[in-house]
Amino acid sequence: MSLTSISAQTSQPDLIIGIVGLGLIGGCLAIDCKRLGYTVYGVARRPATTAVAVEQGMVDQSGCDLALMAKADLVFICTPMALIVPTVHQLVEHLPESTIVTDVGSVKGEVVAAATTAWPNFVGGHPMAGKAESGLAAAEAGLFRDRPYVVTPIETTKQVALDQVVAIATQLGSKIYTSTPAAHDRAVAAISHLPVMVSSSLLHTCLSESDFQVKVLAQQLASSGFCDTSRVGGGNPELGAMMAQFNRAALLQSLQQYRHQLDTVINLIEVEEWDALKQRLTVAQQERPKYL
């Protein structure tokens, strides 16, 4: 299933937005929502983080207790993927039934099903934006502008909740798409999670060079091409491991497809089929603009 774009009416900034997890994404959401005129409450694990968020004007109120979210009309869960569903379960005892809860995780499948069971007003979401840096200190305005924001409703998702999440994402300047959780996870496995594993493997290939002098020379000669293809492999290891853990089936499928493509290239080079290899590279060259 391909992603399809959707649109929604923007809403007036008259509701309170809660953000659980004041890292990069949570911090960027807080900054943008404040600039849009919303009242923003934030929850983080460390008191020092909550203090910085208030001092820098990212949020109106902040603390370490999820009870603070009881005042929010819409709560964004911006925790690591492993904590999204547990956070929903913890929020249940604090929220009125009208509160809408959404997340920003890059895997939707089981997360959306479990979170919706715990909280019927849940909407799966994934703003596809980020930076090499992490943490609240790296947060900035406008991170989501012109970037994809995927919502993943299921049959029981409430339309009013979906509309509200789409309205906020629209105000952030994002390009809004809708997908089933399963289609989202397969697409993201191919264009996000697979590149992390491939990029990491590229770095390990260089690391495995047995000749120390050659290894050092490769490090010295590496320039923009290698930097581009290895960038995501040098990202947050914890996040990469969670991608594999929570999107295991889809990622394995993509890795197996990629291994098949590598085997094809190896075979063409072994049998010296240069015209076929050139044709293969030409197809890749022609297809690449579709992914930019």
Side-chain angles (χ1 to χ4, degrees):
M1 174 181 176
S2 61
L3 298 178
T4 55
S5 62
I6 61 177
S7 61
Q9 297 291 325
T10 57
S11 60
Q12 296 299 315
D14 55 356
L15 73 164
I16 297 174
I17 292 179
I19 297 174
V20 180
L22 293 174
L24 172 66
I25 299 301
C28 291
L29 274 172
I31 292 170
D32 283 352
C33 288
K34 281 286 291 179
R35 292 192 174 196
L36 288 169
Y38 290 101
T39 298
V40 180
Y41 293 163
V43 168
R45 289 179 297 174
R46 297 189 303 162
T49 301
T50 65
V52 169
V54 173
E55 290 169 3
Q56 296 190 4
M58 297 178 178
V59 299
D60 295 281
Q61 294 184 35
S62 189
C64 298
D65 191 343
L66 286 175
L68 182 62
M69 294 294 100
K71 302 177 182 179
D73 301 293
L74 171 62
V75 176
F76 286 88
I77 300 179
C78 304
T79 65
M81 283 182 284
L83 298 178
I84 293 173
V85 173
T87 299
V88 173
H89 283 284
Q90 292 169 22
L91 281 169
V92 166
E93 61 183 278
H94 302 294
L95 302 181
E97 291 183 2
S98 60
T99 301
I100 299 165
V101 178
T102 186
D103 75 317
V104 299
S106 68
V107 179
K108 301 272 65 96
E110 294 181 4
V111 170
V112 173
T116 304
T117 298
W119 193 254
N121 250 4
F122 183 85
V123 179
H126 181 200
M128 300 195 66
K131 297 172 60 178
E133 303 85 2
S134 61
L136 184 63
E140 61 182 32
L143 184 71
F144 310 105
R145 182 163 298 281
D146 296 324
R147 300 301 304 161
Y149 197 119
V150 190
V151 288
T152 57
I154 57 178
E155 290 184 0
T156 58
T157 300
K158 297 183 178 180
Q159 189 64 46
V160 64
L162 176 63
D163 289 345
Q164 185 63 78
V165 173
V166 169
I168 298 296
T170 300
Q171 290 181 330
L172 294 173
S174 299
K175 298 176 181 178
I176 315 300
Y177 298 89
T178 185
S179 167
T180 64
H184 166 276
D185 288 355
R186 287 183 62 183
V188 171
I191 55 88
S192 180
H193 300 172
L194 174 64
V196 170
M197 303 305 156
V198 170
S199 178
S200 173
S201 297
L202 173 62
L203 289 163
H204 276 281
T205 300
C206 295
L207 182 64
S208 66
E209 170 57 54
S210 59
D211 188 318
F212 179 75
Q213 289 184 329
V214 172
K215 182 189 298 185
V216 172
L217 182 60
Q219 294 170 346
Q220 294 169 336
L221 297 180
S223 58
S224 59
F226 186 83
C227 289
D228 288 345
T229 51
S230 64
R231 180 182 62 82
V232 294
N236 186 329
E238 181 181 5
L239 178 58
M242 283 192 289
M243 290 175 180
Q245 178 183 351
F246 287 91
N247 204 19
R248 179 177 176 272
L251 178 56
L252 281 173
Q253 183 179 26
S254 289
L255 282 166
Q256 289 159 359
Q257 291 173 345
Y258 184 70
R259 181 167 59 186
H260 172 70
Q261 299 300 326
L262 283 179
D263 288 339
T264 300
V265 171
I266 290 170
N267 180 66
L268 290 175
I269 295 173
E270 285 179 339
V271 299
E272 301 185 7
E273 290 283 355
W274 308 126
D275 288 341
L277 178 60
K278 181 180 178 181
Q279 177 59 30
R280 182 181 178 82
L281 294 172
T282 299
V283 171
Q285 179 189 51
Q286 294 170 344
E287 289 295 310
R288 185 173 183 270
K290 299 178 182 179
Y291 294 85
L292 300 178

